[in-house]
Amino acid sequence: MRRCVRIASALLAGVLISGCAAPRVSEEQIARVAKDWCMTIRGSQVMPVYPLTEDVLSGDVFLVTTTIQSEQKEFKQRGFLPLPLLVTRLHPSGIEDFYLSSHGTQGRTNPPYFWRFDGTNLETNRLCQMPRAAFPSYQFSTRGGGGLNIAVPIEAIPVAINLAGGKRVEGSVLLSDAYTYGFDQANLQNLLLDWAGRNSDLLEVLSPADGGTNYLRMISRIYLVGGVSVQVNSVGSFAGSASGGADKPVNLPNLDGTNTVEHYTSALASLSSALSTALNAPGGTLKVSSASSRSASLNETFPRPLVVGYLGFDLPVLPGGQIGFPQDTMMRVKGGATHPLPTKPLRYSADSNSTALRAWLREDPANVKKANEWLAKNYSAPNLANVITAGELRDVRKQMVEQLVQPPAKP
Amino acid sequence: MNGKSRTKKTAANLAAVSLPAPQTVPKNKVGETVQDFIDFGGAKVVQAEQQDAQNWLVTATE
């Protein structure tokens, strides 16, 4: 047994040293891995959170300042959208009614904390009562693993890569212990509109001054994972090796030949223990579940579940601090057509700008395109047909006429 | 006339991100608004429904 520990420690030292000495992974490679990771989350129709955090809640309202075009471009290129500015954290009520007192919500008012912490003991929780979710496995392949823990915030990945050895590896990550909770949009939207009514001064400041559009992004549902399982297989040959294609001997104690299952199990336990100690994962565990000459499998448990993705909706902040129509975040950043959510019908209130705008649009089909481009750049949410006559969009119409229709119409 | 009318037409060359929101319009502006929804709003099917003696509700349903 002591021999096992000694060898496992030696192997761990090798792992860490090789991690430090691994070839530098380019920024492009890291970005690609991050994008692959986020694409997996997106594949489940969930907006990815990157990096992972436990401090994103249903009811959080973020400010988004990029235009819809830049946002769509960024979403395609990077795979995720940063959430830079938290405007406010609203606390929706009615978790007990929403889940009909099930999932441990009876008498509770502070989601998700009553699931995360069981009283004052931070080591225990009631997550087993939280609604469960499941994600597909995430496949990846890369050369070397030195920078992967920067791109993907899971310690098990670089460790597994180094354990499996090889210059080129393929692997998969399975998000385990996935949970979710959220609120209905009607509840959140009313809460946000109430807040907006009380904070119109702040919203006026947040409305764009340069003709762009800012959005309030309301998080309605979050997805958390409690751990990951990483499986890595070494493929191809080692760099600089004369024995190209040959298996790399992993120095696990006597895994081949005459060893018993007991020896193998104790070797894995020793290695898991040494890894967890060396990586100093606070409260979390990193356990080697299997290892061979060309593959390694590790299970990592996070100290507390982390948010990997969310669902939400966006509301444009119009000039003057008004709030526009809500739109589904995922649909909007993907550039798909969206039906406006059921809302109070707009009022017909045509004015001189309506006449000027309609005449200009009918003059040339290219003008319709110009007008839609201007709207997408500046507001995106209102539809051009509504802008022509709706009383609520009088200011948008006026701006459009002033900027696109020449000469400017007189009020 | 039972209070409802439907118009169908294909809109061309539009890049709107959303269909028009429902709009309440005076009776004499229904035709003009339906035409706006189709020509400029990207709507393919528009429904107009009488709300009261004066007003109609124009809704893009597709």
Side-chain angles (χ1 to χ4, degrees):
Chain A
M1 185 64 191
R2 284 183 180 173
R3 182 169 168 263
C4 292
V5 174
R6 275 203 308 274
I7 295 175
S9 303
L11 174 59
L12 176 62
V15 165
L16 298 178
I17 290 167
S18 65
C20 297
R24 291 184 63 185
V25 179
S26 69
E27 212 169 285
E28 188 185 345
Q29 191 175 356
I30 293 170
R32 197 178 65 242
V33 176
K35 183 181 175 183
D36 287 348
W37 163 267
C38 293
M39 291 297 279
T40 303
I41 306 294
R42 276 172 51 181
S44 304
Q45 298 304 304
V46 172
M47 294 287 294
V49 168
Y50 191 84
L52 307 189
T53 173
E54 66 173 332
D55 198 21
V56 172
L57 301 184
S58 179
D60 281 359
V61 181
F62 291 90
L63 180 68
V64 180
T65 56
T66 51
T67 64
I68 184 70
Q69 290 93 339
S70 340
E71 201 169 39
Q72 286 168 4
K73 193 176 169 188
E74 192 175 352
F75 193 54
K76 279 179 189 166
Q77 282 180 348
R78 299 171 67 178
F80 69 99
L81 294 172
L83 294 170
L85 179 60
L86 180 63
V87 178
T88 184
R89 173 165 285 176
L90 300 174
H91 298 288
S93 58
I95 187 80
E96 187 179 352
D97 286 344
F98 187 70
Y99 286 108
L100 294 174
S101 301
S102 63
H103 292 291
T105 56
Q106 191 161 20
R108 303 288 185 170
T109 55
N110 58 338
Y113 300 112
F114 66 85
W115 281 310
R116 282 184 182 159
F117 307 111
D118 187 10
T120 55
N121 187 353
L122 298 182
E123 299 301 319
T124 60
N125 57 55
R126 302 168 70 239
L127 287 170
C128 60
Q129 294 184 317
M130 204 170 181
R132 297 301 299 260
F135 286 94
S137 63
Y138 157 50
Q139 309 287 332
F140 65 91
S141 65
T142 186
R143 291 175 182 276
L148 279 175
N149 62 347
I150 301 168
V152 182
I154 297 172
E155 289 168 338
I157 292 180
V159 174
I161 287 173
N162 281 290
L163 276 176
K167 190 71 177 171
R168 187 166 155 252
V169 294
E170 289 180 351
S172 65
V173 177
L174 179 65
L175 301 174
S176 55
D177 283 337
Y179 305 94
T180 181
Y181 91 98
F183 284 93
D184 55 295
Q185 183 158 340
N187 185 351
L188 293 172
Q189 194 174 313
N190 287 337
L191 200 61
L192 182 58
L193 292 176
D194 283 350
W195 177 87
R198 284 180 276 109
N199 292 275
S200 53
D201 290 348
L202 172 63
L203 287 175
E204 195 165 356
V205 173
L206 297 179
S207 63
D210 56 354
T213 304
N214 292 343
Y215 291 88
L216 293 180
R217 176 159 298 160
M218 167 66 96
I219 309 293
S220 58
R221 174 171 290 279
I222 58 170
Y223 291 84
L224 307 101
V225 295
V228 291
S229 297
V230 179
Q231 166 76 45
V232 171
N233 297 309
S234 168
V235 294
S237 58
F238 304 105
S241 171
S243 55
D247 285 358
K248 179 183 180 184
V250 172
N251 291 328
L252 284 173
N254 302 319
L255 289 179
D256 303 321
T258 58
N259 271 306
T260 63
V261 172
E262 189 181 345
H263 285 158
Y264 178 75
T265 307
S266 79
L268 291 181
S270 302
L271 189 53
S272 295
S273 168
L275 280 172
S276 281
T277 306
L279 291 171
N280 197 24
T285 57
L286 192 62
K287 184 180 176 186
V288 181
S289 57
S290 72
S292 72
S293 58
R294 294 181 75 93
S295 69
S297 179
L298 283 87
N299 293 328
E300 182 179 358
T301 307
F302 299 137
R304 287 194 295 272
L306 299 176
V307 177
V308 293
Y310 66 91
L311 298 180
F313 56 93
D314 296 350
L315 297 102
V317 183
L318 304 175
Q322 298 292 311
I323 297 289
F325 303 113
Q327 289 191 335
D328 177 81
T329 300
M330 180 69 92
M331 287 292 287
R332 197 173 74 80
V333 298
K334 278 185 171 177
T338 58
H339 283 270
L341 293 167
T343 182
K344 194 177 172 184
L346 300 175
R347 287 177 298 103
Y348 181 93
S349 180
D351 53 21
S352 59
N353 285 326
S354 303
T355 312
L357 182 57
R358 188 184 286 113
W360 177 75
L361 290 170
R362 293 209 184 283
E363 256 177 31
D364 186 350
N367 290 346
V368 177
K369 193 178 172 191
K370 276 185 205 169
N372 274 310
E373 285 171 354
W374 183 90
L375 265 182
K377 182 182 173 190
N378 295 289
Y379 294 100
S380 90
N383 184 285
L384 179 57
N386 293 132
V387 172
I388 297 172
T389 53
E392 290 83 350
L393 300 172
R394 185 178 288 112
D395 290 343
V396 179
R397 179 162 66 242
K398 183 166 178 278
Q399 278 187 30
M400 184 177 268
V401 168
E402 284 173 356
Q403 293 183 31
L404 293 179
V405 183
Q406 296 296 334
K410 290 177 184 177
Chain B
M1 192 74 172
N2 63 357
K4 288 188 180 182
S5 65
R6 291 174 73 88
T7 308
K8 189 169 185 176
K9 195 173 177 181
T10 302
N13 301 322
L14 285 177
V17 291
S18 63
L19 290 174
Q23 200 166 331
T24 307
V25 301
K27 188 177 174 181
N28 63 337
K29 298 293 180 185
V30 171
E32 181 185 80
T33 307
V34 168
Q35 205 60 49
D36 285 347
F37 273 36
I38 292 167
D39 291 348
F40 308 126
K44 292 178 183 172
V45 179
V46 180
Q47 179 175 299
E49 189 172 357
Q50 191 166 8
Q51 297 289 288
D52 53 42
Q54 300 298 322
N55 295 305
W56 285 54
L57 180 67
V58 178
T59 312
T61 56
E62 189 181 316

